[in-house]
Amino acid sequence: MRTPKYEAKNRAIDWLNQYIVKNSNSKLPSTINILSKIHNLEIKPLDTSPIESNSWLSGFSDADANFSINIHKRSNKNSTRVQLYYRLEIKQNYHITDHEGNKASFYPLMSQLGMYLGVTVHSRSRLIKDKYFHSFTVISQNKNSNLKITDYFDKFPLLSSKYLDYKDWAFILKLQNSNPITTSYLDKALKIRTDFNSTRTTFNWNHLNL
């Protein structure tokens, strides 16, 4: 685990371990049955391994990221542009405070991700129904960062329906890299956009088969 939620996981482990100790001499059949199925857990340190070394980012992306295919007319030009983005956004601070009353920031984690992709971490504030929301965002949109995205997710596939969006996104990226002339793949991009992200109606879960 890499995020400040590490603290909540540790509290859950402490609770479980204390439960085992407190009930170790219980005579209740139900408690004895429970204790026979659980054991003490060891609290592991924060994961500081390279991001590309395991599937952590894949799980994080299933929850908080999205892939975008933006198609728009170029200003003052009679042509169309197709832009591909991977975007991950998360709130700036974890809601639990430490013993000094400070909230843990997600910035160190997002900074690591930004450095891995070679992109900038953006800070964003929004007012929604009289409440401010502050977040950090990492966006992959250039050739080098998108290449890292495909290298990573081909090695550590997503598990949710975002896998389907990623495969469509990666397909357009491959066409874009093989022929930079937009008209060579524009029709395919337009077609994919009709069944992509929130407009997706076609689903299959073959990628979950072992």
Side-chain angles (χ1 to χ4, degrees):
M1 183 171 284
R2 296 174 184 268
T3 74
K5 291 182 180 179
Y6 169 82
E7 176 271 340
K9 184 261 295 182
N10 288 351
R11 283 190 285 112
I13 291 177
D14 283 337
W15 181 90
L16 176 66
N17 291 342
Q18 290 173 22
Y19 176 88
I20 294 173
V21 172
K22 290 178 180 178
N23 294 278
S24 59
N25 296 319
S26 176
K27 304 299 182 182
L28 294 174
S30 59
T31 302
I32 294 173
N33 182 50
I34 292 173
L35 292 177
S36 69
K37 298 178 181 179
I38 61 177
H39 55 83
N40 281 296
L41 296 178
E42 178 185 355
I43 293 179
K44 300 288 187 179
L46 276 170
D47 182 6
T48 58
S49 62
I51 286 177
E52 67 273 22
S53 68
N54 57 54
S55 60
W56 171 85
L57 178 58
S58 183
F60 196 16
S61 297
D62 262 329
D64 294 301
N66 69 280
F67 299 90
S68 297
I69 302 173
N70 290 351
I71 302 175
H72 58 87
K73 290 285 186 181
R74 294 177 184 265
S75 60
N76 301 321
K77 292 183 180 181
N78 187 24
S79 62
T80 302
R81 186 178 187 183
V82 177
Q83 293 180 295
L84 303 176
Y85 299 94
Y86 161 86
R87 178 174 175 275
L88 191 150
E89 182 174 9
I90 193 169
K91 60 187 178 181
Q92 291 190 2
N93 297 309
Y94 186 49
H95 65 280
I96 299 295
T97 58
D98 60 21
H99 63 282
E100 295 179 348
N102 300 313
K103 290 185 177 181
S105 173
F106 280 94
Y107 181 76
L109 174 63
M110 295 296 279
S111 179
Q112 291 175 26
L113 180 55
M115 287 189 289
Y116 167 62
L117 295 175
V119 300
T120 301
V121 178
H122 298 279
S123 177
R124 182 185 185 191
S125 296
R126 289 174 290 171
L127 179 61
I128 303 177
K129 295 181 179 180
D130 299 322
K131 186 176 181 181
Y132 279 100
F133 292 85
H134 308 284
S135 62
F136 292 122
T137 306
V138 166
I139 301 175
S140 167
Q141 58 185 345
N142 59 49
K143 185 175 181 179
N144 290 335
S145 59
N146 282 344
L147 177 60
K148 283 202 169 186
I149 289 296
T150 55
D151 285 346
Y152 179 86
F153 287 111
D154 285 347
K155 184 177 181 180
F156 301 108
L158 296 150
L159 297 181
S160 72
S161 62
K162 286 180 185 176
Y163 171 85
L164 305 176
D165 295 324
Y166 164 69
K167 296 300 289 186
D168 286 339
W169 181 91
F171 173 69
I172 297 301
L173 179 63
K174 183 178 180 180
L175 295 178
Q176 194 176 66
N177 288 336
S178 63
N179 189 339
I181 300 176
T182 304
T183 54
S184 69
Y185 59 87
L186 179 59
D187 287 345
K188 293 183 176 64
L190 288 169
K191 183 178 180 179
I192 284 176
R193 275 280 303 274
T194 64
D195 190 21
F196 185 78
N197 282 349
S198 61
T199 63
R200 178 174 293 280
T201 59
T202 304
F203 296 89
N204 73 71
W205 305 101
N206 294 337
H207 60 286
L208 298 181
N209 295 332
L210 298 179

